[in-house]
Amino acid sequence: MRILLLSDIHANLEALQACLAAAPSSDRVVNLGDVVGYGANPNEVIEFCRQLGGSYVRGNHDKAICGLSDMEDFNPIAAEAVLWTRQVLTPDNLEWLRSLPQGPMQADDIPGTQFAHGSPLDEDEYVITPRDAVEPILVSQPALTFFGHTHVQGSFALDSEQIEGAHPGYLTVGQSESVTFPLHSGLRYMINPGSVGQPRDGDWRAAFAAFDTETQVVAFCRTPYDLKSAQDRILDAGLPKRLATRLAAGR
Ligand code: ZN
């Protein structure tokens, strides 16, 4: 099975469309949460995702926007975007958001793999460093976890002795590109496809990943998108300016 992994779209319609256009063909889409929040097209992105189908886990922004959690951990800019998004979402889309399941999620036809927004031990926890990844990797029954939340594309791999973090080494800065990452049997992994709509690893291109369960190869992908249009929509919506400028920096 070929799985397309999307995470942290954050209502960035231009980035989502670019990812779908650049993605290899897939049998299943798995979305790792934070469909909305920050970006200016929450209704359009949710409708796009609903049409796309596939499997989902919810993100912290998804939860806050539909009132399932408070905004205690949100900075003022993120909180402003939550309130704005809550206001503009249609009741139907808000209801869809509320129905997204809590991770980690497993699918019967994808054995040995689980999907989470943050850590599989806590959906709101950030797994940033190899040290953060050790416990969730060791405690998890599935050997492979796909996760999001940090907006940083990359992998953690644990063998019998040590854990190693890695990021794909891209050769270009503004083109569509993918880097393959073959999984090795006997190792345990946490893999982040990166953020579609608000990358924070210094690369402004939209990020996603594809996983072939037969060959056990992950492809990390980046693709350019209409950044100016996404920024203009954020500014036109009256959302904080920083949410537009940070997209260009990939921070
Ligand atoms: Zn996010």
Side-chain angles (χ1 to χ4, degrees), residues 8 10 34 38 60-61 117 149 151 200:
D8 298 279
H10 282 292
D34 280 0
Y38 295 136
N60 54 317
H61 287 256
H117 181 64
H149 196 32
H151 300 206
R200 292 180 195 160

Side-chain angles (χ1 to χ4, degrees), residues 38-53:
Y38 295 136
N41 289 91
N43 283 307
E44 294 83 351
V45 163
I46 287 180
E47 276 142 30
F48 198 107
C49 287
R50 292 175 75 167
Q51 280 207 339
L52 206 57

Side-chain angles (χ1 to χ4, degrees), residues 152-214:
V152 175
Q153 193 176 45
S155 60
F156 298 108
L158 181 80
D159 64 15
S160 55
E161 288 178 349
Q162 60 176 2
I163 187 154
E164 203 168 277
H167 302 289
Y170 291 108
L171 302 173
T172 70
V173 287
Q175 298 166 29
S176 267
E177 196 179 349
S178 75
V179 171
T180 53
F181 183 77
L183 305 187
H184 299 284
S185 62
L187 267 63
R188 303 177 66 80
Y189 293 94
M190 282 189 76
I191 293 182
N192 190 327
S195 168
V196 171
Q198 196 199 74
R200 292 180 195 160
D201 49 11
D203 186 335
W204 68 274
R205 294 175 293 183
F208 62 97
F211 175 51
D212 189 321
T213 59
E214 246 143 71

